[in-house]
Amino acid sequence: MKYDVIVIGCGFAGSVIAERFASQSNKKVLILEKRSHIGGNMYDFIDDNGVRYHEYGPHIFHTNSKDVVDYLSNFTEWYPYEHRVLGLIQGKKVPIPFNLTSIEQCFEHDKAEKLKQVLVEAYGMDTKVPILRLKENPNEEVKELADFIYENVFKYYTMKQWGLTPEEIDPGVTARVPVLVGRDDRYFQDKYQCMPKNGYTAIFENMLKHENIEVRLNVDAHEHLRVDIQENKVYFDNEEFTGTVIFTGAVDDLLNYEFGDLSYRSLEFDKQTHDGTYQEVATVNYPTPAEMNGYTRITEYKLMMETYPLEKTTIAVEYPYAYNRKADKGNIPYYPIFTSEDKEKYEMYCDKIKGITNLHVVGRLADYKYYNMDQIVARALMVYKNIK
């Protein structure tokens, strides 16, 4: 097969663009994937307990974009699922994001009623307030509540997850889990909240079964692809490739870490089997000091399934790590760290490759952005449209 498009990486970014070029533009597409499976971090499978397990942490589909839902519906059926999370706060498991019900569970009745009143007066009912904005409120009672939430919900969870305090990371990160002035106990409030009936891997199988797509697994792209900055050309198997190249990996890796490593956070999972059901909801957060609980959350995967086995259950205890590509643990980059130094370094890498007009970087790692699934699907669809 002579290829028109070469895609590096087989997650949503690469797979969506590959599918569009194959089905809509009749292009021959080659995908190179270094892992032994398709689907990137969305890879899932049915384990020995009959539970659909997410290998790289829980993935819950939610979006306000009908276009994204309509596109993915070409490759899957859905079942409705609204994710709920509890957080361990002073020995009690209360709703996360922190809301009016959480206040009632954390404070005595009279105190809770007063705090709810001042919060609603300050921001209105059914609103979302980022914690750092809440802390800036001059009202003493609101500030007292903000300090409590900061200390018990955000501070230690953020320090474990990111290795930084909430003030040291991009405000957009803490804004992803705001304080809710209302009763909605769902983790997300998007219009569409659902899970694929046959799992995420099946979506990718359906996307990539087109006759114009070839997928090679267990392949290091560096063995086939070479970027020549001086000539502004891409070489595939030592021959100039003039077709479209989509790179979805880390740009520092693409350029052999010329300006140094970009910073990421990584994760490791302790997968366990238990009898019956382990916890009250699919995910319980542990926003406690690291010396109390070294992990950030526990996910019970069968509680995210449409129907699930009763006898056994599978949980994953999630431990954050500082990313180190050479380490035995923490060697998978999950989340970009948005410090000013890393942003500058990322821009240096982008400037280096901007002269290569047939090379396009797209994806959470390639764009160095914290995308949700729906956001990266929308981004990939737009990249395809722009290239086409």
Side-chain angles (χ1 to χ4, degrees):
M1 182 186 286
K2 181 182 181 300
Y3 308 108
D4 304 299
V5 180
I6 295 175
V7 177
I8 309 303
C10 203
F12 264 133
S15 297
V16 169
I17 295 177
E19 185 279 328
R20 291 287 85 183
F21 270 114
S23 67
Q24 301 301 303
S25 300
N26 196 30
K27 300 293 187 182
K28 305 294 185 183
V29 183
L30 171 66
I31 299 179
L32 302 179
E33 169 57 55
K34 67 179 179 181
R35 290 173 173 168
S36 60
H37 58 76
I38 61 175
N41 283 2
M42 281 65 64
Y43 175 68
D44 59 14
F45 60 91
I46 300 293
D47 69 8
D48 293 340
N49 296 327
V51 174
R52 185 171 297 283
Y53 183 72
H54 298 192
E55 181 74 15
Y56 302 96
H59 288 83
I60 296 96
F61 184 78
H62 58 97
T63 186
N64 287 314
S65 171
K66 185 176 183 299
D67 290 342
V68 169
V69 173
D70 288 346
Y71 171 72
L72 292 177
S73 295
N74 292 311
F75 312 103
T76 186
E77 296 180 38
W78 307 92
Y79 62 89
Y81 173 77
E82 294 180 330
H83 194 53
R84 285 173 171 81
V85 175
L86 298 177
L88 184 66
I89 297 176
Q90 297 184 345
K92 300 177 181 179
K93 292 180 180 178
V94 307
I96 301 292
F98 201 89
N99 61 21
L100 298 185
T101 303
S102 309
I103 293 176
E104 292 169 352
Q105 294 180 11
C106 291
F107 297 92
E108 293 185 357
H109 179 268
D110 291 347
K111 182 71 170 178
E113 291 301 308
K114 183 60 176 175
L115 290 173
K116 289 189 297 180
Q117 180 184 343
V118 297
L119 200 60
V120 172
E121 288 175 354
Y123 299 103
M125 193 67 174
D126 296 322
T127 55
K128 302 177 182 179
V129 188
I131 184 59
L132 297 182
R133 179 183 160 204
L134 195 67
K135 281 175 64 67
E136 295 171 353
N137 192 300
N139 182 290
E140 285 301 318
E141 290 174 306
V142 174
K143 190 176 186 308
E144 177 190 0
L145 177 62
D147 289 342
F148 175 89
I149 298 172
Y150 176 87
E151 188 77 11
N152 291 282
V153 178
F154 287 90
K155 179 181 177 181
Y156 296 111
Y157 191 97
T158 302
M159 289 171 67
K160 287 191 289 188
Q161 178 76 0
W162 295 96
L164 301 167
T165 66
E167 292 85 357
E168 291 175 313
I169 61 175
D170 190 292
V173 175
T174 52
R176 291 169 65 90
V177 187
V179 177
L180 295 182
V181 186
R183 295 283 180 184
D184 192 343
D185 65 347
R186 300 173 301 167
Y187 197 71
F188 307 109
Q189 284 73 45
D190 300 76
K191 181 177 180 179
Y192 304 98
Q193 300 187 45
C194 46
M195 297 286 275
K197 264 189 178 296
N198 298 307
Y200 290 102
T201 300
I203 293 179
F204 291 91
E205 289 172 345
N206 291 330
M207 270 188 186
L208 302 175
K209 65 183 181 182
H210 197 282
E211 61 182 3
N212 284 344
I213 298 176
E214 177 186 341
V215 180
R216 298 184 192 173
L217 302 177
N218 299 304
V219 173
D220 184 347
H222 285 295
E223 297 175 0
H224 299 273
L225 205 71
R226 180 171 60 86
V227 174
D228 191 314
I229 300 301
Q230 281 68 43
E231 296 182 2
N232 284 328
K233 293 178 179 179
V234 178
Y235 289 84
F236 178 68
D237 287 343
N238 296 318
E239 292 185 8
E240 182 183 354
F241 183 78
T242 57
T244 299
V245 179
I246 306 295
F247 183 81
T248 71
V251 291
D252 52 352
D253 177 56
L254 176 66
L255 293 181
N256 297 308
Y257 307 96
E258 179 178 346
F259 304 118
D261 290 43
L262 290 169
S263 300
Y264 298 91
R265 291 297 283 180
S266 188
L267 301 171
E268 291 290 333
F269 302 93
D270 176 15
K271 183 183 179 184
Q272 301 176 9
T273 292
H274 294 270
D275 293 327
T277 300
Y278 185 81
Q279 58 193 22
E280 301 89 337
V281 292
T283 298
V284 176
N285 285 0
Y286 289 81
T288 49
E291 56 268 22
M292 184 181 300
N293 305 107
Y295 44 89
T296 50
R297 61 181 176 176
I298 296 177
T299 298
E300 184 168 8
Y301 283 97
K302 78 176 186 181
L303 298 184
M304 298 192 300
M305 297 172 65
E306 187 174 22
T307 59
Y308 56 80
L310 300 176
E311 295 78 15
K312 296 288 185 180
T313 194
T314 305
I315 69 167
V317 185
E318 187 170 322
Y319 292 86
Y321 275 77
Y323 169 68
N324 183 342
R325 57 190 167 92
K326 299 178 181 179
D328 292 332
K329 289 188 174 183
N331 56 22
I332 299 175
Y334 278 84
Y335 306 112
I337 297 179
F338 307 104
T339 64
S340 56
E341 179 184 350
D342 282 296
K343 288 178 180 178
E344 291 176 8
K345 192 181 299 182
Y346 174 75
E347 291 302 325
M348 291 169 65
Y349 279 115
C350 289
D351 287 342
K352 196 80 171 179
I353 60 176
K354 66 182 180 181
I356 308 176
T357 56
N358 64 326
L359 172 64
H360 307 271
V361 296
V362 53
R364 178 182 279 198
L365 300 183
D367 290 329
Y368 208 63
K369 289 184 179 179
Y370 193 164
Y371 289 120
N372 289 329
M373 285 185 288
D374 65 318
Q375 293 170 324
I376 194 55
V377 171
R379 163 100 169 109
L381 291 171
M382 181 58 67
V383 168
Y384 163 73
K385 181 179 178 181
N386 289 342
I387 297 173
K388 185 189 70 169

